[in-house]
Amino acid sequence: MTSPTTVPSIRLTGGVPIPQFGFGVFGIEPDRTADAVALALDAGYRHIDTAQMYRNEQGVGAGIKKSGVPREEVFVTTKLANDAQGHDNAITALEGSLRRLGTDYVDLYLIHWPLPAKDRYVKTWQAFDEILKAGKARAIGVSNFSPAHLDRLAGETGAVPSVNQIELHPYLQQAELRRYHEEHGIATEAWSPIAQGEVLGDEVVTRIAAAHGRTAAQVVLRWHLALGHIVFPKSSSPERIRENIDVFGFALSDEDMRALGGLDRGRRTGPDPETFDG
Ligand code: NDP
């Protein structure tokens, strides 16, 4: 087991600390989620990333209860469903999440996708700001937003998201977006941090893994941590859940970082946020 205290935290704008390493539950069957979450918490995770669209928030809540870890020691993120954008819907949808999670606040509430063709994200963001002020979310942010979307939010509402959760891994390094985040104090969260397994057979990754006596997944996750990204790999396997968080006992060299930095090829595993319409 990894001690939760060895996982560093990043302070979000507004001062809320977020554990840099968490557990993603996209694709975990609703009736298996409670066990997976309880196992992850037992292995030292203290940050769970779910979403209304994953249909497993109830399992997340049940898993936290089952683990015996106090609610306030777990950082819980959920995301607004695409069909619930708009001011009033965003507020009602959060009430549903809180009920399913069995809690009266989330640590982080995200707009899941910008859906530019629907053009509702600015109104949605105004509701998020109210949710923050009402204390129902300790922090608010977005996911899959581009610099143009982020500029528009700040310009029209004055409220800057504390987080942007984006697809990010060695094959899609998103340099421009990460630079924008740094300039605006937005924390970068990396979804599909191991590209759903696609990068694990890369010979650069496997060579570095062999040199450190680590697995390919551990090397890629360590690369993210060194760059300051927040990560939450998903696994349904107890062994891999433990393996993934066991990344705090080694470090990559500058040469390793350069070699991994050279793998960028602009390859997405998921949809393009500019055209994805939910
Ligand atoms: P990941 O990059 O985390 O990869 C998960 C896949 O890799 C699964 O097939 C898993 O299989 C496998 N895997 C996990 N660990 C290992 C390992 N150590 N060795 C070999 N294979 C491994 O992809 P996800 O897309 O799940 O992304 C992670 C999280 O990001 C999601 O769970 C979700 O919380 C979030 N996300 C957010 C999105 C957004 O739009 N905001 C979109 C997509 C994801 P197995 O289960 O069999 O171990």
Side-chain angles (χ1 to χ4, degrees):
M1 154 177 176
T2 300
S3 165
T5 56
T6 63
V7 178
S9 282
I10 288 183
R11 212 161 271 282
L12 302 176
T13 27
V16 175
I18 180 171
Q20 200 185 351
F21 203 98
F23 183 53
V25 297
F26 172 52
I28 301 187
E29 291 300 319
D31 61 353
R32 299 196 160 185
T33 305
D35 283 347
V37 166
L39 191 136
L41 291 169
D42 188 55
Y45 293 75
R46 288 294 180 271
H47 167 181
I48 311 291
D49 185 89
T50 184
Q52 291 162 3
M53 292 194 292
Y54 302 169
R55 297 180 9 265
N56 57 17
E57 289 171 309
Q58 204 159 359
V60 170
I64 295 171
K65 287 213 173 69
K66 183 175 173 184
S67 73
V69 176
R71 162 70 186 94
E72 61 277 13
E73 289 179 20
V74 186
F75 191 100
V76 178
T77 299
T78 198
K79 315 183 193 81
L80 176 68
N82 287 336
D83 64 4
Q85 282 206 23
H87 179 277
D88 295 358
N89 285 349
I91 292 173
T92 311
L94 179 64
E95 293 302 330
S97 285
L98 297 179
R99 207 172 41 249
R100 289 186 292 276
L101 288 162
T103 182
D104 51 11
Y105 70 96
V106 289
D107 295 278
L108 180 61
Y109 192 32
L110 303 179
I111 301 181
H112 205 146
W113 288 88
L115 312 175
K118 297 213 165 70
D119 196 20
R120 287 203 292 255
Y121 64 82
V122 175
K123 286 245 169 335
T124 305
W125 188 241
Q126 284 159 349
F128 270 51
D129 201 32
E130 291 167 29
I131 286 167
L132 178 73
K133 289 183 175 131
K136 302 231 163 152
R138 295 174 70 219
I140 52 171
V142 296
S143 178
N144 299 302
F145 275 48
S146 68
H149 304 141
L150 294 164
D151 278 343
R152 202 172 149 213
L153 281 191
E156 294 194 29
T157 72
V160 176
S162 49
V163 159
N164 189 16
Q165 183 178 124
I166 55 171
E167 182 177 351
L168 178 54
H169 45 71
Y171 286 165
L172 182 72
Q173 298 194 14
Q174 305 257 35
E176 186 199 340
L177 194 44
R178 287 192 287 133
R179 211 165 23 246
Y180 181 101
H181 292 168
E182 249 171 58
E183 284 165 12
H184 293 80
I186 299 171
T188 299
E189 292 196 332
W191 66 254
S192 292
I194 56 172
Q196 297 184 344
E198 247 190 68
V199 294
L200 303 183
D202 190 287
E203 62 169 18
V204 170
V205 177
T206 55
R207 178 177 45 77
I208 295 171
H212 288 276
R214 292 288 181 157
T215 67
Q218 288 173 326
V219 163
V220 174
L221 293 167
R222 192 68 228 181
W223 171 82
H224 282 287
L225 295 174
L227 291 173
H229 308 157
I230 299 159
V231 284
F232 26 81
K234 170 264 173 185
S235 180
S236 302
S237 133
E239 293 73 31
R240 290 191 284 275
I241 289 173
R242 291 191 199 95
E243 169 193 328
N244 289 345
I245 198 175
D246 182 17
V247 286
F248 297 98
F250 78 111
L252 298 173
S253 67
D254 291 347
E255 198 187 323
D256 296 336
M257 291 300 289
R258 263 194 304 278
L260 293 163
L263 294 180
D264 193 14
R265 55 198 65 173
R267 186 148 96 219
R268 292 185 184 278
T269 64
D272 184 341
E274 284 302 332
T275 50
F276 183 60
D277 67 2

